[in-house]
mmCIF file of all heavy atoms in Angstrom:
data_model
loop_
_atom_site.group_PDB
_atom_site.id
_atom_site.type_symbol
_atom_site.label_atom_id
_atom_site.label_comp_id
_atom_site.label_asym_id
_atom_site.label_seq_id
_atom_site.Cartn_x
_atom_site.Cartn_y
_atom_site.Cartn_z
ATOM 1 N N GLY A 8 -14.491 15.395 0.192
ATOM 2 C CA GLY A 8 -13.177 14.799 -0.089
ATOM 3 C C GLY A 8 -12.676 15.109 -1.491
ATOM 4 O O GLY A 8 -11.966 14.297 -2.088
ATOM 5 N N ALA A 9 -13.015 16.308 -2.011
ATOM 6 C CA ALA A 9 -12.580 16.669 -3.371
ATOM 7 C C ALA A 9 -11.065 16.813 -3.460
ATOM 8 O O ALA A 9 -10.486 16.730 -4.542
ATOM 9 C CB ALA A 9 -13.260 17.964 -3.802
ATOM 10 N N SER A 10 -10.401 17.010 -2.323
ATOM 11 C CA SER A 10 -8.940 17.106 -2.328
ATOM 12 C C SER A 10 -8.285 15.724 -2.241
ATOM 13 O O SER A 10 -7.063 15.609 -2.261
ATOM 14 C CB SER A 10 -8.472 17.962 -1.146
ATOM 15 O OG SER A 10 -9.055 17.488 0.060
ATOM 16 N N GLY A 11 -9.093 14.684 -2.158
ATOM 17 C CA GLY A 11 -8.547 13.327 -2.095
ATOM 18 C C GLY A 11 -8.558 12.668 -3.466
ATOM 19 O O GLY A 11 -9.050 13.243 -4.447
ATOM 20 N N PHE A 12 -8.038 11.460 -3.531
ATOM 21 C CA PHE A 12 -7.897 10.769 -4.821
ATOM 22 C C PHE A 12 -9.243 10.597 -5.527
ATOM 23 O O PHE A 12 -9.432 11.011 -6.674
ATOM 24 C CB PHE A 12 -7.234 9.390 -4.596
ATOM 25 C CG PHE A 12 -7.293 8.524 -5.806
ATOM 26 C CD1 PHE A 12 -6.434 8.753 -6.866
ATOM 27 C CD2 PHE A 12 -8.237 7.511 -5.913
ATOM 28 C CE1 PHE A 12 -6.513 7.982 -8.022
ATOM 29 C CE2 PHE A 12 -8.315 6.731 -7.052
ATOM 30 C CZ PHE A 12 -7.455 6.964 -8.106
ATOM 31 N N LEU A 13 -10.186 9.974 -4.845
ATOM 32 C CA LEU A 13 -11.451 9.654 -5.516
ATOM 33 C C LEU A 13 -12.296 10.899 -5.754
ATOM 34 O O LEU A 13 -12.867 11.082 -6.833
ATOM 35 C CB LEU A 13 -12.226 8.615 -4.675
ATOM 36 C CG LEU A 13 -13.561 8.159 -5.224
ATOM 37 C CD1 LEU A 13 -13.427 7.576 -6.637
ATOM 38 C CD2 LEU A 13 -14.200 7.116 -4.293
ATOM 39 N N GLY A 14 -12.368 11.769 -4.737
ATOM 40 C CA GLY A 14 -13.161 12.997 -4.884
ATOM 41 C C GLY A 14 -12.669 13.833 -6.055
ATOM 42 O O GLY A 14 -13.464 14.351 -6.854
ATOM 43 N N THR A 30 -15.614 19.503 -1.025
ATOM 44 C CA THR A 30 -14.988 19.905 0.234
ATOM 45 C C THR A 30 -13.531 19.448 0.271
ATOM 46 O O THR A 30 -13.170 18.412 -0.287
ATOM 47 C CB THR A 30 -15.714 19.328 1.475
ATOM 48 O OG1 THR A 30 -15.528 17.908 1.515
ATOM 49 C CG2 THR A 30 -17.185 19.670 1.466
ATOM 50 N N ALA A 31 -12.719 20.293 0.915
ATOM 51 C CA ALA A 31 -11.330 19.941 1.209
ATOM 52 C C ALA A 31 -11.158 20.184 2.699
ATOM 53 O O ALA A 31 -11.927 20.926 3.313
ATOM 54 C CB ALA A 31 -10.384 20.821 0.420
ATOM 55 N N PHE A 32 -10.131 19.573 3.287
ATOM 56 C CA PHE A 32 -9.905 19.778 4.720
ATOM 57 C C PHE A 32 -8.504 20.355 4.926
ATOM 58 O O PHE A 32 -8.339 21.561 5.034
ATOM 59 C CB PHE A 32 -10.135 18.456 5.462
ATOM 60 C CG PHE A 32 -9.918 18.524 6.934
ATOM 61 C CD1 PHE A 32 -10.430 19.578 7.682
ATOM 62 C CD2 PHE A 32 -9.211 17.524 7.599
ATOM 63 C CE1 PHE A 32 -10.230 19.639 9.058
ATOM 64 C CE2 PHE A 32 -9.009 17.579 8.973
ATOM 65 C CZ PHE A 32 -9.510 18.643 9.696
ATOM 66 N N SER A 33 -7.468 19.530 4.912
ATOM 67 C CA SER A 33 -6.129 20.055 5.190
ATOM 68 C C SER A 33 -5.319 20.347 3.922
ATOM 69 O O SER A 33 -4.242 20.921 4.002
ATOM 70 C CB SER A 33 -5.357 19.074 6.075
ATOM 71 O OG SER A 33 -5.305 17.820 5.463
ATOM 72 N N HIS A 34 -5.812 19.922 2.755
ATOM 73 C CA HIS A 34 -5.082 20.177 1.499
ATOM 74 C C HIS A 34 -5.907 21.090 0.598
ATOM 75 O O HIS A 34 -6.840 20.608 -0.061
ATOM 76 C CB HIS A 34 -4.788 18.860 0.771
ATOM 77 C CG HIS A 34 -3.876 17.957 1.516
ATOM 78 N ND1 HIS A 34 -4.316 16.867 2.234
ATOM 79 C CD2 HIS A 34 -2.529 17.999 1.688
ATOM 80 C CE1 HIS A 34 -3.291 16.266 2.799
ATOM 81 N NE2 HIS A 34 -2.189 16.932 2.492
ATOM 82 N N THR A 46 -13.693 22.624 4.738
ATOM 83 C CA THR A 46 -14.686 22.195 5.728
ATOM 84 C C THR A 46 -14.173 21.065 6.596
ATOM 85 O O THR A 46 -13.597 20.100 6.067
ATOM 86 C CB THR A 46 -15.949 21.636 4.992
ATOM 87 O OG1 THR A 46 -16.278 22.500 3.922
ATOM 88 C CG2 THR A 46 -17.123 21.497 5.932
ATOM 89 N N ASP A 47 -14.413 21.168 7.897
ATOM 90 C CA ASP A 47 -14.168 20.019 8.777
ATOM 91 C C ASP A 47 -15.494 19.294 8.966
ATOM 92 O O ASP A 47 -16.370 19.760 9.699
ATOM 93 C CB ASP A 47 -13.607 20.482 10.125
ATOM 94 C CG ASP A 47 -13.335 19.300 11.055
ATOM 95 O OD1 ASP A 47 -13.591 18.142 10.645
ATOM 96 O OD2 ASP A 47 -12.858 19.531 12.179
ATOM 97 N N LEU A 48 -15.630 18.167 8.319
ATOM 98 C CA LEU A 48 -16.913 17.451 8.336
ATOM 99 C C LEU A 48 -17.199 16.805 9.683
ATOM 100 O O LEU A 48 -18.318 16.358 9.929
ATOM 101 C CB LEU A 48 -16.916 16.373 7.246
ATOM 102 C CG LEU A 48 -16.802 16.883 5.804
ATOM 103 C CD1 LEU A 48 -16.570 15.723 4.844
ATOM 104 C CD2 LEU A 48 -18.056 17.645 5.400
ATOM 105 N N THR A 49 -16.185 16.759 10.564
ATOM 106 C CA THR A 49 -16.437 16.164 11.882
ATOM 107 C C THR A 49 -17.095 17.177 12.827
ATOM 108 O O THR A 49 -17.517 16.821 13.919
ATOM 109 C CB THR A 49 -15.144 15.627 12.530
ATOM 110 O OG1 THR A 49 -14.267 16.726 12.790
ATOM 111 C CG2 THR A 49 -14.458 14.626 11.645
ATOM 112 N N THR A 69 -16.926 10.927 -0.124
ATOM 113 C CA THR A 69 -15.658 10.177 -0.223
ATOM 114 C C THR A 69 -14.681 10.566 0.885
ATOM 115 O O THR A 69 -13.646 9.926 1.031
ATOM 116 C CB THR A 69 -14.946 10.397 -1.587
ATOM 117 O OG1 THR A 69 -14.277 11.664 -1.581
ATOM 118 C CG2 THR A 69 -15.905 10.324 -2.755
ATOM 119 N N ALA A 70 -14.973 11.627 1.627
ATOM 120 C CA ALA A 70 -14.031 12.072 2.670
ATOM 121 C C ALA A 70 -13.898 10.978 3.728
ATOM 122 O O ALA A 70 -14.889 10.399 4.173
ATOM 123 C CB ALA A 70 -14.518 13.363 3.307
ATOM 124 N N ALA A 71 -12.684 10.705 4.124
ATOM 125 C CA ALA A 71 -12.442 9.626 5.089
ATOM 126 C C ALA A 71 -11.008 9.684 5.578
ATOM 127 O O ALA A 71 -10.156 10.322 4.956
ATOM 128 C CB ALA A 71 -12.668 8.265 4.403
ATOM 129 N N ALA A 73 -8.560 7.329 5.232
ATOM 130 C CA ALA A 73 -8.601 6.145 4.365
ATOM 131 C C ALA A 73 -7.341 5.276 4.435
ATOM 132 O O ALA A 73 -7.205 4.333 3.668
ATOM 133 C CB ALA A 73 -8.855 6.585 2.926
ATOM 134 N N PHE A 74 -6.429 5.612 5.369
ATOM 135 C CA PHE A 74 -5.220 4.788 5.493
ATOM 136 C C PHE A 74 -5.364 3.870 6.713
ATOM 137 O O PHE A 74 -5.404 4.347 7.860
ATOM 138 C CB PHE A 74 -3.969 5.657 5.627
ATOM 139 C CG PHE A 74 -3.652 6.412 4.361
ATOM 140 C CD1 PHE A 74 -4.022 7.731 4.212
ATOM 141 C CD2 PHE A 74 -3.015 5.771 3.304
ATOM 142 C CE1 PHE A 74 -3.759 8.418 3.025
ATOM 143 C CE2 PHE A 74 -2.741 6.443 2.117
ATOM 144 C CZ PHE A 74 -3.116 7.773 1.981
ATOM 145 N N ILE A 88 -14.466 10.965 11.552
ATOM 146 C CA ILE A 88 -14.733 11.211 10.123
ATOM 147 C C ILE A 88 -15.306 9.954 9.453
ATOM 148 O O ILE A 88 -16.233 10.041 8.638
ATOM 149 C CB ILE A 88 -13.473 11.755 9.384
ATOM 150 C CG1 ILE A 88 -13.758 12.016 7.903
ATOM 151 C CG2 ILE A 88 -12.262 10.867 9.537
ATOM 152 C CD1 ILE A 88 -14.673 13.156 7.628
ATOM 153 N N THR A 110 -19.019 5.926 0.307
ATOM 154 C CA THR A 110 -17.963 5.023 -0.161
ATOM 155 C C THR A 110 -17.406 4.189 0.990
ATOM 156 O O THR A 110 -16.778 4.710 1.898
ATOM 157 C CB THR A 110 -16.813 5.813 -0.819
ATOM 158 O OG1 THR A 110 -16.370 6.836 0.089
ATOM 159 C CG2 THR A 110 -17.247 6.446 -2.120
ATOM 160 N N SER A 111 -17.663 2.885 0.898
ATOM 161 C CA SER A 111 -17.078 1.946 1.850
ATOM 162 C C SER A 111 -15.903 1.239 1.156
ATOM 163 O O SER A 111 -15.339 1.778 0.200
ATOM 164 C CB SER A 111 -18.150 0.974 2.343
ATOM 165 O OG SER A 111 -17.606 0.131 3.337
ATOM 166 N N THR A 112 -15.573 0.065 1.605
ATOM 167 C CA THR A 112 -14.355 -0.588 1.094
ATOM 168 C C THR A 112 -14.518 -2.102 0.989
ATOM 169 O O THR A 112 -15.285 -2.706 1.758
ATOM 170 C CB THR A 112 -13.169 -0.269 2.040
ATOM 171 O OG1 THR A 112 -12.045 -1.040 1.649
ATOM 172 C CG2 THR A 112 -13.485 -0.602 3.493
ATOM 173 N N ASP A 113 -13.732 -2.693 0.100
ATOM 174 C CA ASP A 113 -13.683 -4.164 -0.009
ATOM 175 C C ASP A 113 -13.056 -4.782 1.246
ATOM 176 O O ASP A 113 -13.222 -5.967 1.524
ATOM 177 C CB ASP A 113 -12.902 -4.586 -1.270
ATOM 178 C CG ASP A 113 -11.529 -3.928 -1.405
ATOM 179 O OD1 ASP A 113 -11.098 -3.203 -0.470
ATOM 180 O OD2 ASP A 113 -10.877 -4.139 -2.443
ATOM 181 N N TYR A 135 -9.808 0.339 10.595
ATOM 182 C CA TYR A 135 -10.392 1.050 9.443
ATOM 183 C C TYR A 135 -11.616 0.282 8.915
ATOM 184 O O TYR A 135 -12.689 0.859 8.717
ATOM 185 C CB TYR A 135 -9.315 1.193 8.368
ATOM 186 C CG TYR A 135 -9.794 1.562 6.989
ATOM 187 C CD1 TYR A 135 -10.274 2.843 6.715
ATOM 188 C CD2 TYR A 135 -9.738 0.638 5.941
ATOM 189 C CE1 TYR A 135 -10.689 3.189 5.435
ATOM 190 C CE2 TYR A 135 -10.149 0.972 4.665
ATOM 191 C CZ TYR A 135 -10.626 2.244 4.410
ATOM 192 O OH TYR A 135 -11.044 2.587 3.143
ATOM 193 N N LYS A 139 -15.626 1.220 8.860
ATOM 194 C CA LYS A 139 -16.436 1.257 7.640
ATOM 195 C C LYS A 139 -17.701 0.402 7.816
ATOM 196 O O LYS A 139 -18.768 0.769 7.341
ATOM 197 C CB LYS A 139 -15.617 0.773 6.441
ATOM 198 C CG LYS A 139 -14.582 1.777 5.974
ATOM 199 C CD LYS A 139 -15.245 3.014 5.354
ATOM 200 C CE LYS A 139 -14.256 3.931 4.674
ATOM 201 N NZ LYS A 139 -14.866 5.107 4.071
ATOM 202 N N MET A 158 -15.917 0.094 -2.453
ATOM 203 C CA MET A 158 -14.944 0.397 -3.498
ATOM 204 C C MET A 158 -13.784 -0.603 -3.425
ATOM 205 O O MET A 158 -13.379 -1.020 -2.339
ATOM 206 C CB MET A 158 -14.390 1.821 -3.327
ATOM 207 C CG MET A 158 -15.443 2.906 -3.121
ATOM 208 S SD MET A 158 -16.788 2.917 -4.310
ATOM 209 C CE MET A 158 -15.905 3.329 -5.815
ATOM 210 N N PRO A 159 -13.230 -0.941 -4.589
ATOM 211 C CA PRO A 159 -12.043 -1.798 -4.603
ATOM 212 C C PRO A 159 -10.787 -0.941 -4.532
ATOM 213 O O PRO A 159 -10.881 0.289 -4.414
ATOM 214 C CB PRO A 159 -12.153 -2.447 -5.982
ATOM 215 C CG PRO A 159 -12.713 -1.329 -6.833
ATOM 216 C CD PRO A 159 -13.650 -0.543 -5.943
ATOM 217 N N LEU A 160 -9.639 -1.552 -4.640
ATOM 218 C CA LEU A 160 -8.385 -0.808 -4.818
ATOM 219 C C LEU A 160 -8.523 0.064 -6.071
ATOM 220 O O LEU A 160 -8.995 -0.412 -7.100
ATOM 221 C CB LEU A 160 -7.247 -1.812 -5.006
ATOM 222 C CG LEU A 160 -5.861 -1.229 -5.249
ATOM 223 C CD1 LEU A 160 -5.334 -0.532 -4.005
ATOM 224 C CD2 LEU A 160 -4.900 -2.339 -5.666
ATOM 225 N N MET A 161 -8.143 1.342 -5.944
ATOM 226 C CA MET A 161 -8.282 2.246 -7.100
ATOM 227 C C MET A 161 -6.922 2.819 -7.487
ATOM 228 O O MET A 161 -6.047 2.995 -6.645
ATOM 229 C CB MET A 161 -9.247 3.377 -6.758
ATOM 230 C CG MET A 161 -10.683 2.882 -6.615
ATOM 231 S SD MET A 161 -11.807 4.183 -6.110
ATOM 232 C CE MET A 161 -11.550 4.248 -4.373
HETATM 233 N N1 NAP B 301 -8.112 4.613 -2.584
HETATM 234 C C1 NAP B 301 -8.513 3.346 -2.555
HETATM 235 O O1 NAP B 301 -7.895 2.473 -3.182
HETATM 236 C C2 NAP B 301 -9.764 2.989 -1.770
HETATM 237 C C3 NAP B 301 -10.147 1.640 -1.749
HETATM 238 C C4 NAP B 301 -11.342 1.292 -1.109
HETATM 239 C C5 NAP B 301 -12.126 2.261 -0.514
HETATM 240 N N2 NAP B 301 -11.712 3.567 -0.535
HETATM 241 C C6 NAP B 301 -12.607 4.584 0.062
HETATM 242 O O2 NAP B 301 -12.892 5.545 -0.932
HETATM 243 C C7 NAP B 301 -13.018 6.828 -0.349
HETATM 244 C C8 NAP B 301 -12.025 7.799 -0.959
HETATM 245 O O3 NAP B 301 -10.709 7.353 -0.709
HETATM 246 P P1 NAP B 301 -9.450 8.167 -1.224
HETATM 247 O O4 NAP B 301 -8.407 7.187 -1.611
HETATM 248 O O5 NAP B 301 -9.901 9.186 -2.214
HETATM 249 O O6 NAP B 301 -8.975 8.899 0.125
HETATM 250 P P2 NAP B 301 -7.911 10.101 0.271
HETATM 251 O O7 NAP B 301 -7.198 10.342 -1.015
HETATM 252 O O8 NAP B 301 -7.099 9.807 1.479
HETATM 253 O O9 NAP B 301 -8.833 11.368 0.549
HETATM 254 C C9 NAP B 301 -9.518 11.525 1.758
HETATM 255 C C10 NAP B 301 -10.301 12.814 1.711
HETATM 256 O O10 NAP B 301 -10.997 12.980 2.953
HETATM 257 C C11 NAP B 301 -10.811 14.309 3.404
HETATM 258 N N3 NAP B 301 -10.948 14.400 4.860
HETATM 259 C C12 NAP B 301 -10.289 13.693 5.812
HETATM 260 N N4 NAP B 301 -10.673 14.100 7.044
HETATM 261 C C13 NAP B 301 -11.599 15.089 6.862
HETATM 262 C C14 NAP B 301 -12.361 15.920 7.738
HETATM 263 N N5 NAP B 301 -12.268 15.844 9.069
HETATM 264 N N6 NAP B 301 -13.226 16.822 7.190
HETATM 265 C C15 NAP B 301 -13.325 16.932 5.840
HETATM 266 N N7 NAP B 301 -12.632 16.176 4.974
HETATM 267 C C16 NAP B 301 -11.765 15.270 5.486
HETATM 268 C C17 NAP B 301 -9.402 14.666 2.928
HETATM 269 O O11 NAP B 301 -9.230 16.074 2.932
HETATM 270 P P3 NAP B 301 -7.740 16.733 3.002
HETATM 271 O O12 NAP B 301 -6.827 15.851 2.182
HETATM 272 O O13 NAP B 301 -7.954 18.097 2.375
HETATM 273 O O14 NAP B 301 -7.373 16.777 4.438
HETATM 274 C C18 NAP B 301 -9.434 14.066 1.522
HETATM 275 O O15 NAP B 301 -10.067 14.948 0.643
HETATM 276 C C19 NAP B 301 -12.855 6.626 1.149
HETATM 277 O O16 NAP B 301 -14.113 6.431 1.738
HETATM 278 C C20 NAP B 301 -12.035 5.343 1.233
HETATM 279 O O17 NAP B 301 -12.239 4.709 2.459
HETATM 280 C C21 NAP B 301 -10.551 3.945 -1.141
#
Side-chain angles (χ1 to χ4, degrees):
S10 51
F12 169 77
L13 180 57
T30 68
F32 179 45
S33 57
H34 296 101
T46 316
D47 180 0
L48 297 170
T49 65
T69 78
F74 292 99
I88 180 69
T110 53
S111 184
T112 172
D113 51 5
Y135 165 71
K139 286 292 189 180
M158 311 310 295
L160 178 69
M161 291 176 279

